[in-house]
Amino acid sequence: MIKWIRSGAPWIWLTGGAVSISIISVLGLLLLIGWKGLTYFWPAPLNQWQDQQGERLIGQIYSKAWVATNTIPDAQNRFSEAVLEQGKVERLTIKTANRDLYGVDFISILSAELSEPTTPDELIIVERSRGGDFYGVATRLTDDNNVYRDNIAFHLRSALEKAQLIRDQMDGSITRNIRALSGQLETLRLKKRKAQLNNSWDDIQEERYRRQADIITQQLVNYEDKLDDLRLVLASTTLTLQEMSGKSVDLPLSRIIDFWYPNQMQWHEKMIHWLGQVWKFLSDDPRESNSEGGVFPAIFGTVLLVLIMSVIVMPLGVLVAIYLHEYAKNNLLTRMIRVAVINLAGVPSIVYGVFGLGFFVYTLGGSIDDLFYQERLPAPTFGSPGLLWSALTLAMLTLPVVIVTTEEGLNRIPNSVRHGSLALGATQFETLWRIVVPMASPAIITGSILAVARAAGEVAPLMLVGVVKLVSSLPVDAQFPFLHLERKFMHLGFHIYDIGFQTSNIEAARPLVYATSFLLVTVVISLNLTAIAIRNNLREKYRTLGHD
């Protein structure tokens, strides 16, 4: 045994076991998050019960828990002898939806006080644009000319397809034209304001400005009238449903996004529905204070932020590392710089956020507004939190990682390679550009991987320098200059924080927390795998030159 211990074999098994446990733990966590998030989109059956008063209850089972009967008041009169002998009773948390009618999405009730659940085929789930889902029975569909009481699903599906065409028209050409005209009107106003500040505005320019503004305003009014007409068309069709207490409710078509009969679905229909719901989650905008709808603006903002941050931090970090390793002398100053860089890696991220707010936003952004955007003041352009300042803040946050990993990569290149290049007549810059930097590129990409992994999950500094709960438009659109670095944006990390802790309906939004967390991990892994593939390709390419 002593000989076996001295051989070092136990330490190999110990370290191997620790690695295995870590991998299993990470995979288990990912599976848990993925399962909790992705099962939310599966069309669960819609159950119907009768309570002890004979009232009907319709809903989906959200969770179950066992409760001891001795902790329940008046248990002797409420439960049967069999339940009392068992000593515990099951408590069901049931999602009843119909938030606008009942005030809540969920109720908790003991299973012993309910009848056995049934799954009637006529129960329908209606996904609404606001107010959450609606559970009930569809009784009729009414449009301008007809009332349909039979085959409601077919007629409602046809009406929704027509409504989608109308929504596409509203959100497409009409909305784009309205935004373009609004931009033209704002450009005219700013041009007038700038000329007034320069004392170059005269009566002729004023007359020309009024004519152009009147033309644009009239075009805006015409497009707004078209939108109102299309909204009236959507509102002219209504679906009448009966909720569980027997009350009839009319839903206009403009509030209906989708519907399905979960108790009639076969397995393949459920799979198709699940894929459609996942796609809507990835491609739609959020609704109901982010507790419903999709997360596309957050995905777009996260990826765009990481890309801009990488474009900023990689050249800067690589240049600093090259200077420190290849040009700077090993004296007290360079040693102090290296110690400072290492210490910066341990600074809390919120400190970087405070620095970004004070320096980038208020100082640098305010100065840019004073120099180039005087006509917009007092409304700030770059003097308020935005995408550019968030990217710069994250670049400062991840800069030490890039510098350290790049310098370590430069250290691994043998000096004989440099001396051979110099002996052949190459200058120091040519040696760096053609030999050293390409051979160190795998280490540079490693720094990029570490920077992306940290930056994609950071939330605290972004809350100060640009991220918001909801945005009206993406940072990229068809208006010049197309990429709007001054705009605020959404981020998956902040979205998780918002729906997990700030929404008023936390129980309903909890599955979206898991789904968004799983999505954020997927985005980070995808970005890292892309960088790893590039690094491995470069490493193999320069292996013959002596690297690795």
Side-chain angles (χ1 to χ4, degrees):
M1 177 64 70
I2 297 176
K3 183 178 180 181
W4 179 66
I5 294 175
R6 289 178 177 176
S7 67
W11 308 114
I12 297 175
W13 283 99
L14 181 63
T15 53
V19 172
S20 301
I21 293 173
S22 300
I23 294 175
I24 293 172
S25 300
V26 171
L27 291 178
L29 178 61
L30 291 178
L31 287 175
L32 174 64
I33 295 174
W35 175 260
K36 290 279 191 180
L38 296 178
T39 53
Y40 169 73
F41 305 107
W42 187 262
L46 195 54
N47 299 310
Q48 179 175 291
W49 298 267
Q50 296 285 338
D51 62 14
Q52 294 177 340
Q53 287 75 35
E55 298 290 337
R56 182 173 60 166
L57 177 64
I58 295 176
Q60 293 175 325
I61 297 177
Y62 183 74
S63 63
K64 300 178 181 180
W66 289 97
V67 181
T69 54
N70 57 12
T71 63
I72 301 174
D74 199 22
Q76 299 293 332
N77 298 325
R78 295 174 64 180
F79 307 126
S80 63
E81 290 295 331
V83 174
L84 293 175
E85 289 180 2
Q86 188 180 8
K88 59 181 180 180
V89 63
E90 193 174 37
R91 181 176 62 195
L92 302 178
T93 300
I94 300 174
K95 182 179 180 181
T96 57
N98 304 8
R99 187 187 312 152
D100 49 347
L101 300 180
Y102 313 142
V104 293
D105 283 274
F106 299 87
I107 63 169
S108 293
I109 192 167
L110 300 175
S111 60
E113 298 177 337
L114 296 174
S115 65
E116 288 296 321
T118 60
T119 55
D121 289 344
E122 68 270 11
L123 295 181
I124 187 175
I125 298 178
V126 179
E127 183 182 1
R128 300 182 290 179
S129 58
R130 62 180 186 275
D133 293 340
F134 192 98
Y135 297 169
V137 178
T139 57
R140 70 173 183 269
L141 180 68
T142 307
D143 59 21
D144 290 333
N145 304 315
N146 301 292
V147 177
Y148 304 101
R149 299 182 184 274
D150 299 321
N151 240 357
I152 295 177
F154 172 78
H155 296 294
L156 181 56
R157 182 62 63 190
S158 299
L160 283 178
E161 290 175 356
K162 296 177 182 177
Q164 187 59 45
L165 294 176
I166 294 175
R167 291 192 182 100
D168 291 341
Q169 185 180 358
M170 294 170 62
D171 298 335
S173 60
I174 296 179
T175 302
R176 286 197 301 268
N177 289 330
I178 289 177
R179 288 178 178 173
L181 291 172
S182 299
Q184 292 176 17
L185 197 61
E186 178 67 10
T187 301
L188 284 176
R189 187 190 70 81
L190 294 176
K191 183 178 179 181
K192 174 183 177 180
R193 169 75 172 159
K194 187 174 183 178
Q196 288 176 337
L197 291 174
N198 295 330
N199 295 321
S200 61
W201 191 256
D202 53 29
D203 294 338
I204 297 176
Q205 291 177 313
E206 177 69 24
E207 182 64 26
R208 186 184 303 115
Y209 166 78
R210 289 182 179 179
R211 288 199 305 268
Q212 293 176 342
D214 290 342
I215 293 173
I216 295 174
T217 302
Q218 184 59 47
Q219 291 176 337
L220 282 173
V221 170
N222 293 338
Y223 282 115
E224 291 289 348
D225 292 339
K226 289 181 180 180
L227 282 179
D228 292 337
D229 293 340
L230 293 175
R231 293 190 185 103
L232 290 176
V233 172
L234 291 177
S236 63
T237 302
T238 57
L239 175 66
T240 302
L241 300 111
Q242 185 183 79
E243 49 93 35
M244 62 185 182
S245 66
K247 179 182 177 181
S248 293
V249 177
D250 291 332
L251 289 181
L253 193 64
S254 57
R255 290 185 57 189
I256 299 176
I257 297 176
D258 197 3
F259 75 96
W260 58 95
Y261 290 86
N263 300 335
Q264 299 180 16
M265 286 182 169
Q266 302 298 322
W267 188 89
H268 69 279
E269 294 174 325
K270 291 185 177 181
M271 178 58 68
I272 293 173
H273 176 84
W274 178 81
L275 292 174
Q277 292 296 108
V278 171
W279 172 249
K280 286 197 293 186
F281 174 71
L282 297 175
S283 59
D284 286 355
D285 294 338
R287 307 189 307 270
E288 296 287 311
S289 297
N290 291 342
S291 62
E292 294 177 7
V295 292
F296 177 74
I299 298 173
F300 189 89
T302 303
V303 174
L304 182 61
L305 173 68
V306 170
L307 292 177
I308 296 175
M309 180 275 301
S310 301
V311 170
I312 295 173
V313 73
M314 290 307 299
L316 183 60
V318 170
L319 289 175
V320 172
I322 289 175
Y323 174 76
L324 290 176
H325 189 270
E326 301 292 334
Y327 290 100
K329 297 180 180 179
N330 187 17
N331 52 29
L332 178 62
L333 178 60
T334 56
R335 289 195 293 270
M336 290 179 60
I337 292 175
R338 286 191 175 92
V339 171
V341 168
I342 295 173
N343 288 334
L344 281 175
V347 174
S349 60
I350 190 66
V351 176
Y352 285 98
V354 174
F355 171 79
L357 181 65
F359 178 72
F360 291 135
V361 178
Y362 293 148
T363 303
L364 188 58
S367 300
I368 292 175
D369 284 351
D370 291 336
L371 291 174
F372 302 105
Y373 298 97
Q374 291 184 359
E375 67 276 10
R376 296 177 181 264
L377 296 176
T381 302
F382 282 93
S384 64
L387 179 62
L388 176 60
W389 309 134
S390 298
L392 285 172
T393 301
L394 289 186
M396 294 290 295
L397 178 69
T398 56
L399 183 62
V401 176
V402 178
I403 294 175
V404 171
T405 54
T406 303
E407 195 166 4
E408 289 178 354
L410 294 172
N411 271 326
R412 294 172 63 186
I413 300 174
N415 284 329
S416 59
V417 174
R418 298 180 178 86
H419 295 162
S421 175
L422 295 173
L424 292 173
T427 63
Q428 186 176 9
F429 176 78
E430 289 173 337
T431 300
L432 286 173
W433 181 253
R434 296 180 179 273
I435 305 297
V436 177
V437 172
M439 292 178 63
S441 57
I444 296 173
I445 301 299
T446 300
S448 173
I449 294 170
L450 296 175
V452 167
R454 183 176 183 186
E458 285 292 347
V459 178
L462 300 181
M463 295 171 65
L464 299 175
V465 291
V467 73
V468 290
K469 177 186 179 72
L470 195 65
V471 293
S472 57
S473 58
L474 296 175
V476 177
D477 57 24
Q479 298 181 13
F480 184 82
F482 311 118
L483 176 60
H484 302 274
L485 297 176
E486 77 281 1
R487 289 183 183 175
K488 297 178 176 61
F489 64 100
M490 295 182 66
H491 187 273
L492 284 172
F494 183 77
H495 190 80
I496 294 170
Y497 164 76
D498 181 67
I499 59 180
F501 301 98
Q502 299 298 310
T503 182
S504 59
N505 197 0
I506 295 178
E507 195 67 32
R510 182 179 300 170
L512 289 179
V513 175
Y514 289 106
T516 310
S517 300
F518 184 72
L519 178 61
L520 177 58
V521 173
T522 304
V523 170
V524 174
I525 291 175
S526 300
L527 292 171
N528 286 344
L529 288 178
T530 302
I532 289 171
I534 297 173
R535 181 190 64 183
N536 292 341
N537 182 49
L538 292 173
R539 178 176 293 170
E540 191 65 28
K541 179 179 179 181
Y542 294 106
R543 187 184 300 273
T544 57
L545 294 179
H547 184 61
D548 286 341

